[in-house]
Amino acid sequence: QVQLVESGGGSVQAGGSLKLSCTASEYIGRDYLMAAWFRQAPGKEREGVAAVYTRGVLGGNAQYTDSVKGRFAISQDHAKNTIYLQMNSLKPEDTAIYYCAISRNYIVPGPPLNSSLYSPWGQGTQVTVSS
């Protein structure tokens, strides 16, 4: 089973930036066709933030939840087995634990932000944005 480890979380003031990394224990580009970032704030349900196709004709195409469009960007580096989430113009409402996950599914159109389609998951990294 591939293991995922997130890093890059921390505390930042509103308007600041953070870049999260999700590193896999092995090459994922062959068997895992979608990767995504999710977040869960205290007292709220987990929500999809961004997803990307890892390879193929649609490789690199991404989808974002409305609240982060224009501020967040998901990217990947196959050589490093890493998925990134660049977060700019952060807001207090972005405060949450952020998780990365990958999927053997290949669903078009998308990639979807449905958490049930993704496994395995990382352990999460905390992002705190203060006003």
Side-chain angles (χ1 to χ4, degrees):
Q1 176 87 338
V2 175
Q3 295 186 339
L4 305 176
V5 178
E6 299 98 334
S7 61
S11 297
V12 64
Q13 289 192 326
S17 298
L18 284 173
K19 186 174 185 177
L20 305 183
S21 299
C22 171
T23 300
S25 58
E26 60 188 73
Y27 178 65
I28 63 172
R30 181 186 63 193
D31 295 330
Y32 293 89
L33 305 177
M34 305 190 302
W37 286 93
F38 298 83
R39 65 186 180 187
Q40 187 164 20
K44 294 188 177 181
E45 293 186 355
R46 186 173 298 183
E47 69 165 337
V49 175
V52 67
Y53 293 114
T54 61
R55 66 179 180 91
V57 175
L58 296 177
N61 283 20
Q63 170 127 258
Y64 300 89
T65 192
D66 286 346
S67 63
V68 307
K69 285 180 181 177
R71 300 189 298 123
F72 290 12
I74 187 171
S75 62
Q76 55 189 335
D77 186 333
H78 285 301
K80 297 182 178 180
N81 295 333
T82 300
I83 305 293
Y84 301 100
L85 185 67
Q86 177 68 47
M87 305 186 296
N88 299 324
S89 302
L90 283 162
K91 304 175 180 180
E93 52 263 44
D94 295 318
T95 295
I97 299 175
Y98 283 71
Y99 301 88
C100 67
I102 54 179
S103 174
R104 295 178 182 269
N105 295 299
Y106 191 75
I107 296 173
V108 180
L113 295 172
N114 184 339
S115 60
S116 66
L117 297 172
Y118 293 84
S119 178
W121 291 68
Q123 83 291 346
T125 185
Q126 177 71 48
V127 171
T128 302
V129 184
S130 58
S131 57

